Amino acid sequence: MSLPSQQGGYRPSISTSSLITPSLLALTDSPSSQSQIDASVQDYLLIELVHSLRRSSQVARDRLQKREDEMLANGLLTSTAVAASTLAAGQVSAGLGSKTSLRGLSAAAGATANVSVTEEEEAIRVRLEALGAHVGANLAERYVVHTPSVEATESSSQSLSADRGRFTDTLDVIKFLCKDVWTAVWDKQIDNLRTNHRGVYVLQDNAFRPILRISSADGPADSLKRAKIHTAFPAGLLRGALARLGLQGVIIAEIPSLPQCTFQVKLPKGT
């Protein structure tokens, strides 16, 4: 079967790799990149990313509301069911009939979230963490897997198992986060590292860049509230890097006071 001609509207797909010119590649991967790219680009990008995800969530909620309204108009959903499921979202049981509100089910899914966090903010936090985990895994891939260690110089393989030998214990992995990852992403090392030697590590940054530029006209309390969502991406980044190095951890971010931020890393016992 012949493909339609270009005059008929067909256009061959262009690989995304072909869009990266040699000059752009040199700019991002050259030793002098730090002097050519503004160090604040990532900070502003993260701020805009939060705004973009917030707008995206609004579009998703509007789409859900429209679908629910259409079901109401066609008699597939009762207004009583909408009100009941919205008010008692956390008590949705298996005995509900087919006329259960979609919005109620969506709210029920997020009922286990912290009561101080809205459903919208929780959804944005989850998406930011997922993006951060992807970036963190890629960072670990680049700085560990694809950077041959002394032990792996004789081997042609650049697998994780070959390079994992450079980390003699879990503390070495945490130090890798504090030094290499922190420097690569935020252009500085961590300010303080504490541990109880039972799988809990506390990483403290006294001037954490992702929240350094956050302020509010409503005062410090509102600034602190706004800053919390901006710790989701870094927390996911740390979790992704740990996972790529074979450690499944829980990352809890806290902001004692702006711009200070601490990350509590909890690892399973015995790691």
Side-chain angles (χ1 to χ4, degrees):
M1 182 178 69
S2 61
L3 293 173
S5 64
Q6 292 194 7
Q7 290 182 343
Y10 172 76
R11 294 292 184 275
S13 60
I14 301 177
S15 171
T16 54
S17 61
S18 65
L19 301 177
I20 304 176
T21 62
S23 58
L24 181 60
L25 184 62
L27 177 68
T28 58
D29 205 29
S30 67
S32 59
S33 295
Q34 289 184 340
S35 61
Q36 298 183 54
I37 299 178
D38 194 325
S40 304
V41 165
Q42 184 194 177
D43 306 338
Y44 292 120
L45 178 62
L46 181 56
I47 292 174
E48 290 305 316
L49 179 60
V50 172
H51 294 326
S52 297
L53 289 180
R54 188 168 281 122
R55 289 191 293 268
S56 175
S57 297
Q58 181 63 50
V59 171
R61 286 198 309 275
D62 291 344
R63 186 185 300 119
L64 185 63
Q65 180 64 54
K66 181 180 178 181
R67 188 182 308 169
E68 193 171 81
D69 292 341
E70 289 176 351
M71 293 178 70
L72 279 169
N74 289 279
L76 300 175
L77 191 67
T78 64
S79 56
T80 305
V82 173
S85 58
T86 303
L87 292 174
Q91 300 176 358
V92 175
S93 63
L96 288 175
S98 60
K99 292 187 177 183
T100 302
S101 164
L102 293 177
R103 184 171 53 191
L105 288 176
S106 176
T112 55
N114 193 319
V115 293
S116 63
V117 181
T118 66
E119 185 181 351
E120 176 191 1
E121 291 295 307
E122 178 67 11
I124 294 174
R125 184 193 65 78
V126 170
R127 295 175 69 181
L128 283 170
E129 277 201 15
L131 290 170
H134 182 72
V135 174
N138 287 340
L139 276 175
E141 180 86 17
R142 174 170 182 171
Y143 284 92
V144 178
V145 183
H146 294 306
T147 304
S149 62
V150 177
E151 296 85 352
T153 345
E154 301 288 333
S155 173
S156 59
S157 171
Q158 290 183 338
S159 65
L160 181 60
S161 57
D163 276 321
R164 187 64 176 82
R166 68 173 62 195
F167 298 130
T168 57
D169 55 22
T170 306
L171 184 59
D172 284 341
V173 177
I174 301 299
K175 287 180 178 179
F176 166 73
L177 296 181
C178 297
K179 297 173 63 179
D180 299 78
V181 172
W182 227 268
T183 302
V185 180
W186 296 297
D187 203 26
K188 58 170 291 189
Q189 294 185 13
I190 202 75
D191 291 310
N192 191 16
L193 169 63
R194 303 190 304 273
T195 179
N196 63 356
H197 300 286
R198 291 193 295 272
V200 178
Y201 302 85
V202 179
L203 288 61
Q204 179 176 315
D205 193 323
N206 294 329
F208 194 44
R209 287 185 53 176
I211 60 175
L212 196 61
R213 293 175 172 81
I214 295 177
S215 61
S216 172
D218 296 328
D222 190 64
S223 298
L224 189 62
K225 181 181 177 181
R226 291 173 178 267
K228 288 181 180 179
I229 192 65
H230 292 271
T231 62
F233 181 88
L237 188 147
L238 297 178
R239 179 168 58 83
L242 284 173
R244 189 63 186 87
L245 297 175
L247 296 175
Q248 301 300 324
V250 176
I251 313 295
I252 302 175
E254 297 178 349
I255 305 177
S257 61
L258 289 173
Q260 186 183 85
C261 186
T262 63
F263 292 90
Q264 190 177 102
V265 182
K266 295 183 178 181
L267 300 175
K269 293 182 179 180
T271 55

